[in-house]
Amino acid sequence: MKDEVTRDERVDNLKGMGCSRKRVEDARFTQGKGNYVDDIKLDGMLFGDFVRSPYAHARIKSIDTAAALEVPGVLAVLTAADLEPLGLHWMPTLAGDKQMVLADGKVLFQGQEVAYVVAEDRYAAADGIEAVEVDYEELPVLVDPFEALKSDVVLREDLVAEDGTLPDGAHGPRKHHNHIFTWEAGDKEPTEQVIANAEVVAEESMYYHRTHPCPLETCGCVASMDKVNGKLTLGGTFQAPHAIRTVVSLISGIEEHNIRVISPDIGGGFGNKVGAYSGYVCSVVASIVTGKPVKWIEDRMDNLMTTAFARDYWMKGKISATPEGKITGLHCHVTADHGGFDACADPTKFPAGFMNICTGSYDIPTAYLEVDGVYTNKAPGGVSYRCSFRVTEAVYFIERMIEVLAIKLDMDAAELRRINFIKKEQFPYTAALGWEYDSGDYHTAWDKALKAVDYDGLRAEQTQRVADFKAGKTRKLMGIGLSFFTEIVGAGPVKNCDILGLGMFDSCEIRIHPTGSAIARLGTISQGQGHATTFAQILASEIGLPADSITIEEGDTDTAPYGLGTYGSRSTPVAGAATAMAGRKIRAKAQMIAAYLLEVHDDDVEFDVDRFAVKGAPEKFKTMKEIAFAAYNQAIPGLEPGLEAVSYYDPPNMTYPFGAYVCVMDIDVDTGVPDIRRFYALDDCGTRINPMIIEGQVHGGLTEALAVALGQEIAYDKMGNCKTGTLMDFFLPTAWEVPNYETDYTVTPSPHHPIGAKGVGESPHVGGVPCFSNAVQDAFRPFGNTHTNMPHDHWRIWKTANDLGLHG
Amino acid sequence: MIPAAFEYYRPKDMAGVLSILEEHGDDARVMAGGHSLIPMMKLRLANVPHLIDLQDVDGMSGIDVSTDSIRVGALVTQADIIDNERLTEAAPILKEAALQIADPQIRYMGTVGGNVANGDPGNDMPGLMQCLDAVFTVVGAGGERNISARDFYEAAYMTAREDEEVLTSVTIPLPKGGYAYEKQKRKIGDYATAAAAVQIIKDDGVCGSASIAMTNLSDTPIFSEAAGAALVGTTVDAAALDAAVTAMLGDIDPTEDNRGPVAFKNHVAGVILRRAVERAWSRA
Ligand SMILES: Cc1cc2nc3c(=O)[nH]c(=O)nc-3n(C[C@H](O)[C@H](O)[C@H](O)COP(=O)(O)OP(=O)(O)OC[C@H]3O[C@@H](n4cnc5c(N)ncnc54)[C@H](O)[C@@H]3O)c2cc1C
């Protein structure tokens, strides 16, 4: 048989890895045909919503629901007293703590759920909420974690024994009634010694402010209990649908096979949709009680004020070096404000996430990290907003410490980075705080980045600008922001990563149809990342069927194999690997079928793009399409019919994407307004599956980085009132505020990942935040600035200038 | 974010509007674009049991430019202002200001009447209208009356308009000379950290007259007569600018909010005014 098409054309036809295939999801999203949770409308569906606390800390003396029950359309009002007999007034958190589902005697943060009003529609529910009368007795409010650790005020009486002693928490002994845990990594004494004896030591305290992932779609769910067959269907904005199923089963007692969790289209998650919320529990209970489907959808204020925030880390660092700039030691202490309940979404053994990646991209021989978690009167959360667990904090910390050290050494910060990078030949590299970095080539990436932006030229321009400023010729300063980050993503190896005891593997199940198309189902769930596009590309390259002939399905626990979901850039490193491995199982069977059809031994055929051909006789082949058909219509000795495979992939290690970013900013000293002139981002995420999607992810991540660095904040006043509960004050950038990003790349494949891919969704956020922040701070470095805290909004930038005496 | 229940009315003429206002008094409110009122109702900060939509009332959507004045109907939107070439020729500051209000979607809905009647110190048009010495025409059961923009604002959300009156149009004397609307904001869709509206006349290189109003720096817009006076008779040099800024700072009274503390706002107000005057002067 002679083939008409060339090999290159066959490769192109697959639209496999490396192809900028258009996103298959976009046809529906751009036409308003997506199917989000709030699009779910079921017969007789009710609507539930919360009475929320106006106070940050108060005792609840009484709740009177009588008037609310009189409101037309209101069917029920649930309080903690109603949930208690079911044991559902509290629920476990992902961090080993427990959290009130509805206020049980007191409230610990403004906006806390106090009662759940169930009504025929959301208008009646809103009127019902107004009519519930709650009698509060205000208590002293603690919004400062340092104060909380000294205060007599007990936030969590439930965690104090009757004799006044403090039982251990989920992560060991607690030092104070408002203390949650102490977590350590590295070597304390050696680090302290190295720093004590060092010739150069730089110290800095920095606050990584509280912010919020703020996905465009808020959290919500529709719970539907079918009392006839005993089956609960729960549709919702879940980043981890299987984990939610298990949690719901564990806390409700409904057997897991009777629970079906569905994540439909999700309008962004960024960590906000990982945890379990009161809205889910109350909706399930309300559906069981009423026998009707019950919907709960947050509004924007609910979302910003109550469901999972991010960061709120007070970090204190010391870094030591030789006079030449070789770093010798790093010490970091964090006071972590977790709010009223510890509901961080981290792997069980990591109460501070992967904060111990804070040695960054540098060969630092000795290091020590200590994190203290603290309760305050703020909303719970502490999720990984577009980053792997606390990696944004870690990278911000080290990238600021490097800058501070450069100032101390009076050295160029790019050069300081270069002389401390882990060298290419040191990989796999075991860092002082324990992680084994899989692969990297930092020097190449750094040199490429600095060359691309003409770094030396920029510094010369900056020097001139400073001279002009001092001469009164301009009122604008120029900042050059640098950042080199190493991420740790793809959680994670089951040996050290689990969530609520569930190992953090992931999965893929593939069914090849007789006519040579396929469906693959995964344990992850896209929230905009384009899984339906990229996973089909991985498979196309692995099994030789066109990506356009492969359906990717996620998010329905009745059909998808068990997986831990999508966050922490884990989908490609873990589920992507499972996809490749399942594809290889398909290919292995296909090889046997091909050999049988071609009447040669299995070892005598080889895979070539979209077919198996006889070795040395490429004109003798069977295409994967033909093989698929044969799998269903031929009795092949020794082989079962069909062509299906499933793979559960337990990654041997994390992956470590990295990147080099440069930001050039002009700052109006008089108004504090920054103008981002240029942003260059080089990402190395290993093997690149779809360059267009990578670029989209980089643009999105950088934009969220810009937001966080330049203004996005969840701020509280002294009374614990949230001051930034709407998008008027919570900064969500539009196209107007966003610069034109220049993207670039190097490729250093992961040696342990089946296709060498590392994950990219979060890199730009992790690397972008310090880059924007460093640009602001660098502008003021010639005038004596060492560090100022984010967010760098106009007034804080203005204040920096003012404090430095630049306003004359 | 769900408003309390309300009755919705859509009368065809002003008589219909006025009779509902009369009947329900405080419990009734007119709505133009709804982009200030509806958010307040959703937050349940405004309780409006009887909501009267003005959209079907004739005669309030026109823009008339005559030889000595401009008349803008209350229902003219910010987008209409931006798109009207004759208006831009006659009073370019209106377009410059309107382009700095919110974003295109909001500007298609937000009206001039709503913006000036709302009484929110954050709105940009009240200060703009004070700078231009506009007159607001309101109509009530007792007939029409005119109120100067410079006398209209009493406190936040408190104006000289009675609850039963409807603002029908804004009349602006044809502006002369150079102009500028300068605004600092945190992002698109934000109200001003500080904004300045300036009209200035240059006679033989000397400032003949100057009109200055500031936005979001007090609980009302601030027409700073003293700041304008500080420029008159000068060549708008550094000393005159300093004097104008000092005079303006004496008139404003900003409060701390998420945009920043008072010291910052005062400083930025000065910078913004300086820039506005400089730009206006360069165009005079
Ligand atoms: C996100 C966002 C950002 C914005 N940013 C800005 C900004 O930067 N600058 C700015 O100036 N504005 C801004 N606005 C407000 C916007 O311009 C509004 O549209 C405008 O202020 C009010 O116009 P409206 O027609 O929507 O009034 P409505 O909301 O309909 O009414 C506002 C108030 O005025 C009263 N009213 C309306 N018309 C009349 C009338 N003819 N007679 C008597 N009373 C009347 C109403 O009863 C109500 O009390 C923003 C709005 C939004 C939603």
Side-chain angles (χ1 to χ4, degrees):
Chain A
M1 224 205 293
K2 191 81 190 116
D3 203 5
E4 302 290 303
V5 286
T6 66
R7 189 173 188 279
D8 283 351
E9 284 169 333
R10 288 194 281 122
V11 171
D12 289 348
N13 285 343
L14 291 184
K15 297 191 191 163
M17 283 195 284
C19 160
S20 282
R21 180 183 186 220
K22 292 235 170 76
R23 285 166 39 109
V24 297
E25 297 90 340
D26 289 348
R28 70 177 189 280
F29 291 155
T30 54
Q31 294 177 61
K33 295 279 161 57
N35 180 38
Y36 297 90
V37 174
D38 207 12
D39 293 320
I40 299 175
K41 294 188 174 80
L42 303 174
D43 270 354
M45 188 171 74
L46 306 175
F47 196 87
D49 204 355
F50 289 104
V51 175
R52 295 180 179 278
S53 170
Y55 301 111
H57 195 198
R59 205 161 299 291
I60 293 182
K61 289 158 72 181
S62 65
I63 303 176
D64 185 350
T65 62
L69 290 167
E70 298 290 308
V71 172
V74 171
L75 302 176
V77 181
L78 300 177
T79 63
D82 301 307
L83 299 182
E84 189 169 357
L86 308 166
L88 289 177
H89 55 320
W90 288 71
M91 63 179 171
T93 71
L94 296 179
D97 194 3
K98 56 186 178 139
Q99 174 175 359
M100 292 176 206
V101 172
L102 290 172
D104 184 18
K106 72 182 293 192
V107 289
L108 286 158
F109 62 94
Q110 188 185 48
Q112 188 177 330
E113 301 83 357
V114 173
Y116 186 74
V117 175
V118 186
E120 279 164 3
D121 57 52
R122 55 183 92 190
Y123 295 89
D127 290 341
I129 288 168
E130 291 279 297
V132 174
E133 278 176 37
V134 185
D135 191 4
Y136 297 95
E137 177 193 327
E138 286 184 73
L139 296 170
V141 173
L142 297 172
V143 286
D144 175 348
F146 299 98
E147 221 172 275
L149 283 178
K150 287 183 265 165
S151 172
D152 292 341
V153 176
V154 180
L155 298 181
R156 293 286 301 274
E157 288 95 342
D158 60 297
L159 300 179
V160 180
E162 272 179 22
D163 62 3
T165 58
L166 295 176
D168 280 4
H171 307 288
R174 297 166 57 225
K175 296 186 226 173
H176 179 269
H177 49 250
N178 297 327
H179 178 252
I180 311 172
F181 63 82
T182 299
W183 187 68
E184 292 175 289
D187 304 313
K188 188 170 186 210
E189 269 90 50
T191 305
E192 284 173 356
Q193 238 158 37
V194 165
I195 291 173
N197 299 328
E199 284 188 66
V200 182
V201 179
E203 291 185 42
E204 194 55 72
S205 294
M206 56 191 91
Y207 176 46
Y208 199 141
H209 59 288
R210 182 177 273 238
T211 181
H212 195 281
C214 191
L216 285 189
E217 176 205 29
T218 59
C219 298
C221 71
V222 179
S224 180
M225 184 75 203
D226 184 331
K227 286 199 169 171
V228 176
N229 64 19
K231 234 180 135 88
L232 171 71
T233 305
L234 181 61
T237 47
F238 308 128
Q239 286 182 241
H242 285 98
I244 290 281
R245 184 184 72 191
T246 302
V247 171
V248 170
S249 175
L250 289 173
I251 67 177
S252 71
I254 301 171
E255 279 196 82
E256 204 165 348
H257 72 105
N258 276 331
I259 302 172
R260 178 181 183 189
V261 173
I262 299 172
S263 293
D265 285 328
I266 296 185
F270 313 114
N272 181 238
K273 294 167 180 170
V274 172
Y277 295 125
S278 299
Y280 306 157
V281 179
C282 290
S283 304
V284 169
V285 172
S287 181
I288 293 171
V289 170
T290 61
K292 293 191 170 167
V294 178
K295 180 187 275 189
W296 164 71
I297 303 284
E298 284 181 321
D299 67 24
R300 181 60 61 194
M301 292 175 78
D302 296 341
N303 181 252
L304 287 174
M305 291 172 64
T306 68
T307 46
F309 77 93
R311 330 298 189 211
D312 217 342
Y313 257 34
W314 299 83
M315 307 186 281
K316 234 172 118 106
K318 280 186 206 154
I319 190 164
S320 62
T322 65
E324 296 73 38
K326 184 74 194 75
I327 300 170
T328 54
L330 179 73
H331 190 286
C332 177
H333 182 271
V334 181
T335 301
D337 186 338
H338 285 226
F341 305 94
D342 186 10
C344 287
D346 290 314
T348 305
K349 298 191 192 84
F350 296 90
F354 302 157
M355 183 64 198
N356 56 339
I357 193 77
C358 67
T359 52
S361 314
Y362 311 103
D363 184 13
I364 302 180
T366 329
Y368 175 67
L369 163 72
E370 185 181 42
V371 183
D372 281 302
V374 185
Y375 291 120
T376 60
N377 289 119
K378 299 185 193 167
V383 294
S384 319
Y385 168 11
R386 206 162 184 151
C387 69
S388 193
F389 314 99
R390 300 286 187 186
V391 175
T392 313
E393 290 88 320
V395 171
Y396 182 75
F397 171 76
I398 185 65
E399 289 304 289
R400 282 303 305 146
M401 289 310 294
I402 289 283
E403 295 281 321
V404 171
L405 179 61
I407 292 167
K408 186 95 186 179
L409 289 162
D410 194 20
M411 200 170 164
D412 178 77
E415 185 56 23
L416 180 60
R417 285 180 173 83
R418 190 199 313 275
I419 61 180
N420 284 290
F421 281 144
I422 301 162
K423 297 187 190 70
K424 190 178 169 186
E425 56 276 13
Q426 286 177 280
F427 292 93
Y429 170 86
T430 304
L433 294 177
W435 297 109
E436 188 190 291
Y437 294 29
D438 59 349
S439 63
D441 182 355
Y442 299 166
H443 287 94
T444 301
W446 197 227
D447 290 344
K448 190 173 182 186
L450 297 184
K451 188 153 177 269
V453 299
D454 180 20
Y455 181 67
D456 293 339
L458 288 174
R459 283 291 175 208
E461 185 189 346
Q462 187 188 36
T463 306
Q464 182 61 46
R465 182 73 73 85
V466 171
D468 288 350
F469 182 87
K470 288 182 174 161
K473 290 190 206 156
T474 178
R475 294 296 294 163
K476 286 199 174 162
L477 294 177
M478 174 179 165
I480 303 167
L482 303 175
S483 118
F484 196 101
F485 64 92
T486 297
E487 260 222 292
I488 168 170
V489 305
V494 172
K495 63 176 187 286
N496 56 7
C497 288
D498 71 270
I499 284 186
L500 290 178
L502 303 166
M504 295 181 74
F505 59 84
D506 227 289
S507 59
C508 175
E509 181 205 84
I510 305 169
R511 297 179 182 185
I512 311 290
H513 306 317
T515 51
S517 65
I519 183 163
R521 297 188 172 98
L522 293 90
T524 44
I525 174 72
S526 187
Q527 305 128 38
Q529 295 92 335
H531 290 177
T533 307
T534 46
F535 288 138
Q537 290 181 254
I538 295 176
L539 263 188
S541 292
E542 290 290 343
I543 65 175
L545 293 172
D548 289 344
S549 302
I550 301 168
T551 296
I552 299 290
E553 207 181 85
E554 302 174 303
D556 183 341
T557 58
D558 265 11
T559 54
Y562 205 100
L564 268 276
T566 294
Y567 41 86
S569 271
R570 66 186 298 281
S571 298
T572 297
V574 192
T579 304
M581 298 309 269
R584 287 172 196 181
K585 290 184 187 175
I586 297 278
R587 214 162 77 189
K589 184 168 178 184
Q591 180 166 4
M592 292 190 261
I593 298 172
Y596 171 79
L597 296 174
L598 292 164
E599 298 180 31
V600 294
H601 187 272
D602 291 356
D603 293 340
D604 293 333
V605 292
E606 62 187 354
F607 186 69
D608 178 39
V609 185
D610 57 354
R611 63 190 57 182
F612 276 96
V614 175
K615 282 182 188 165
E619 71 285 357
K620 289 194 186 129
F621 64 84
K622 289 287 169 192
T623 64
M624 283 302 294
K625 209 173 146 111
E626 292 169 311
I627 294 166
F629 199 69
Y632 290 90
N633 86 335
Q634 300 224 5
I636 302 173
L639 282 184
E640 290 178 5
L643 194 51
E644 299 188 0
V646 57
S647 169
Y648 284 79
Y649 187 79
D650 178 10
N653 190 3
M654 309 282 184
T655 63
Y656 297 77
F658 59 93
Y661 292 177
V662 183
C663 172
V664 186
M665 203 183 266
D666 295 300
I667 290 178
D668 184 329
V669 170
D670 295 317
T671 59
V673 176
D675 179 23
I676 300 153
R677 193 201 308 175
R678 194 163 178 197
F679 199 102
Y680 168 91
L682 179 151
D683 275 280
D684 190 322
C685 57
T687 304
R688 291 156 59 84
I689 299 165
N690 182 323
M692 180 197 71
I693 287 195
I694 291 174
E695 188 166 349
Q697 290 291 311
V698 172
H699 281 218
L702 288 176
T703 300
E704 284 181 318
L706 176 152
V708 169
L710 299 185
Q712 190 175 84
E713 180 185 20
I714 295 288
Y716 292 87
D717 67 13
K718 287 198 168 60
M719 298 303 295
N721 297 307
C722 179
K723 298 196 290 178
T724 52
T726 75
L727 295 185
M728 185 57 80
D729 287 308
F730 184 86
F731 176 40
L732 206 60
T734 66
W736 192 264
E737 287 86 16
V738 172
N740 189 23
Y741 300 118
E742 302 162 52
T743 57
D744 204 346
Y745 64 96
T746 54
V747 177
T748 312
S750 168
H752 64 75
H753 187 278
I755 57 169
K758 288 185 169 186
V760 75
E762 304 174 328
S763 295
H765 190 72
V766 166
V769 175
C771 192
F772 285 110
S773 178
N774 282 344
V776 174
Q777 318 226 25
D778 181 68
F780 293 105
R781 175 176 168 177
F783 301 89
N785 172 60
T786 44
H787 175 81
T788 58
N789 284 329
M790 296 187 292
H792 306 293
D793 54 7
H794 298 172
W795 97 258
R796 287 183 177 93
I797 292 178
W798 176 88
K799 184 174 184 303
T800 302
N802 200 261
D803 290 348
L804 294 171
L806 302 184
H807 292 140
Chain B
M1 294 289 267
I2 291 189
F6 56 87
E7 284 300 323
Y8 176 79
Y9 305 83
R10 201 170 170 120
K12 297 270 179 252
D13 52 31
M14 188 55 74
V17 176
L18 294 177
S19 74
I20 303 165
L21 279 174
E22 192 129 337
E23 185 182 344
H24 298 287
D26 245 8
D27 279 351
R29 273 233 230 163
V30 296
M31 176 178 78
H35 271 49
S36 291
L37 184 56
I38 291 176
M40 300 275 276
M41 290 168 67
K42 284 182 163 182
L43 290 167
R44 297 196 179 212
L45 293 173
N47 183 21
V48 184
H50 300 276
L51 185 70
I52 312 164
D53 193 333
L54 294 179
Q55 295 295 339
D56 282 354
V57 178
D58 280 342
M60 291 199 289
S61 307
I63 298 177
D64 304 309
V65 181
S66 71
T67 47
D68 57 355
S69 70
I70 299 165
R71 194 183 152 278
V72 179
L75 287 182
V76 167
T77 64
Q78 288 135 21
D80 294 336
I81 294 217
I82 291 166
D83 290 344
N84 192 304
E85 283 172 23
R86 268 206 78 194
L87 181 67
T88 300
E89 219 171 282
I93 194 172
L94 291 176
K95 178 173 178 176
E96 183 161 301
L99 279 170
Q100 296 180 67
I101 292 178
D103 57 47
Q105 282 179 311
I106 291 165
R107 297 198 291 253
Y108 284 125
M109 296 302 293
T111 64
V112 172
N115 201 300
V116 299
N118 195 25
D120 183 330
N123 283 129
D124 286 289
M125 290 191 157
L128 176 69
M129 295 305 169
Q130 290 191 334
C131 167
L132 294 172
D133 198 15
V135 169
F136 301 155
T137 303
V138 299
V139 59
E144 255 184 22
R145 62 183 181 120
N146 291 329
I147 310 169
S148 163
R150 294 179 186 170
D151 299 331
F152 191 73
Y153 299 96
E154 294 165 350
Y157 301 103
M158 307 271 285
T159 67
R161 181 182 62 86
E162 299 295 331
D163 283 344
E164 303 81 21
E165 287 176 323
V166 178
L167 195 150
T168 52
S169 69
V170 175
T171 305
I172 304 165
L174 212 58
K176 299 191 190 72
Y179 67 93
Y181 195 81
E182 181 83 20
K183 175 177 177 181
Q184 178 165 337
K185 54 186 172 180
R186 295 170 298 179
K187 58 176 179 182
I188 287 298
D190 192 19
Y191 293 94
T193 302
V198 175
Q199 281 287 155
I200 198 163
I201 293 174
K202 193 194 272 184
D203 293 324
D204 295 330
V206 173
C207 173
S209 80
S211 175
I212 290 172
M214 308 298 292
T215 289
N216 218 14
L217 293 160
S218 285
D219 69 344
T220 63
I222 294 295
F223 171 65
S224 181
E225 208 171 346
L231 298 174
V232 175
T234 74
T235 55
V236 189
D237 53 7
L241 279 168
D242 285 349
V245 167
T246 305
M248 176 276 292
L249 290 175
D251 287 342
I252 63 171
D253 182 18
T255 49
E256 172 164 351
D257 60 17
N258 286 332
R259 294 179 184 82
V262 172
F264 166 69
K265 289 193 174 179
N266 277 327
H267 187 108
V268 169
V271 174
I272 292 299
L273 176 57
R274 227 173 257 279
R275 289 180 186 173
V277 171
E278 278 168 353
R279 193 162 72 238
W281 185 244
S282 75
R283 287 163 165 169

